[in-house]
Amino acid sequence: MSSEGVQAEGTAGPAGGPAEGGVGRHARVVLVDDHRMFRTGVQAEIGRTEQTGVEVVGEAADVDQAVAVITATRPEVVLLDVHLPGGGGVEVLRRCAPLMAAAESPVRFLALSVSDAAEDVIGVIRGGARGYVTKTITGADLVDSIFRVQDGDAVFSPRLAGFVLDAFASSDAPPVDEDMDRLTQREREVLRLIARGYAYKEIAKQLFISVKTVESHVSAVLRKLQLSNRHELTRWATARRLV
């Protein structure tokens, strides 16, 4: 985890320890992220229950695993990555909607992602997440954010907070794009990188996937958007300001 603090996401306790909000409190949490090493790092940072009050009760690396673990454990808070195999964080939210709407002990979601792209933020908030923080957040601030979400508050990284308020308050708020909704989160990532001129090999390296997988995603995007080649795809993305 980065040492960079994010004031709007919580205030660290003494000597860089967990925020005071974690003392004397308890939250059961599920970690959903497709990078095992990242999950391990988060677990080590916040999962010291006696110090933080956070108990990690489950982990998942894709959509199906996430839904199964969340349904089985019924945590208070889910830390949810936006980009996941099987349909992304939005799909997890869609399939867990009954748990979020439960009259007693609702499951609440906090997006924790490296992405600060507009469509990612708006997508998960529309899907029902209570907040969105980036992976630059410190462990102490993440603990504080978990308890705030558990209490029903909305939590955002500072730069994203203003964006979200503007997007939902303005008459110019971005409408639902049915074409974009057909794409998975990973397909959207590949789409943006293709539109920015990245070669398949560069995309594979950046997303930690194979070149063959990149080719498969590009083929799926072209098919779903009814486009013929990457030049048409670039024009399509540029028209929607995704580049």
Side-chain angles (χ1 to χ4, degrees):
M1 307 281 288
S2 168
S3 60
E4 178 185 351
V6 183
Q7 185 64 30
E9 292 160 346
T11 303
E20 292 182 4
V23 178
R25 303 193 59 183
H26 184 262
R28 298 169 67 255
V29 171
V30 165
L31 304 177
V32 181
D33 193 287
D34 61 341
H35 292 97
R36 182 177 60 82
M37 289 184 66
F38 179 76
R39 297 198 310 271
T40 300
V42 173
Q43 167 78 280
E45 188 77 17
I46 72 171
R48 295 166 284 112
T49 308
E50 291 183 1
Q51 288 77 39
T52 65
V54 174
E55 178 188 3
V56 178
V57 297
E59 298 182 15
D62 60 34
V63 170
D64 289 340
Q65 287 179 16
V67 173
V69 171
I70 293 165
T71 302
T73 60
R74 295 293 294 265
E76 279 87 29
V77 178
V78 177
L79 294 180
L80 180 68
D81 192 12
V82 174
H83 302 143
L84 294 168
V90 172
E91 179 64 13
V92 175
L93 291 164
R94 186 187 69 79
R95 291 168 61 178
C96 290
L99 300 179
M100 288 190 284
E104 296 184 8
S105 302
V107 177
R108 294 190 167 101
F109 287 78
L110 173 63
L112 175 62
S113 177
V114 70
S115 171
D116 60 0
E119 62 269 25
D120 289 338
V121 180
I122 295 301
V124 296
I125 298 306
R126 279 182 171 150
R130 295 294 305 174
Y132 195 115
V133 296
T134 61
K135 290 181 178 179
T136 58
I137 191 172
T138 65
D141 286 347
L142 182 56
V143 169
D144 183 67
S145 297
I146 288 168
F147 284 115
R148 289 169 62 189
V149 167
Q150 182 186 26
D151 289 340
D153 292 342
V155 180
F156 296 93
S157 293
R159 194 175 76 80
L160 303 182
F163 163 73
V164 172
L165 289 172
D166 290 344
F168 283 93
S170 170
S171 59
D172 296 328
V176 174
D177 190 323
E178 294 183 0
D179 288 330
M180 283 293 290
D181 283 348
R182 296 190 185 101
L183 306 181
T184 67
Q185 292 295 335
R186 182 63 87 186
E187 288 168 353
R188 295 181 192 187
E189 280 187 308
V190 172
L191 165 63
R192 283 196 297 270
L193 293 174
I194 285 288
R196 291 170 184 168
Y198 283 69
Y200 286 2
K201 186 178 294 185
E202 294 172 323
I203 295 173
K205 183 177 181 180
Q206 182 156 334
L207 299 182
F208 303 100
I209 57 179
S210 69
V211 173
K212 186 174 182 180
T213 301
V214 174
E215 293 173 348
S216 296
H217 285 314
V218 172
S219 295
V221 170
L222 292 173
R223 184 181 70 255
K224 291 179 180 181
L225 300 181
Q226 299 182 359
L227 301 174
S228 301
N229 53 57
R230 65 180 296 165
H231 300 295
E232 290 184 2
L233 188 152
T234 299
R235 287 197 297 270
W236 187 93
T238 301
R240 285 163 174 77
R241 299 180 181 179
L242 300 179
V243 180

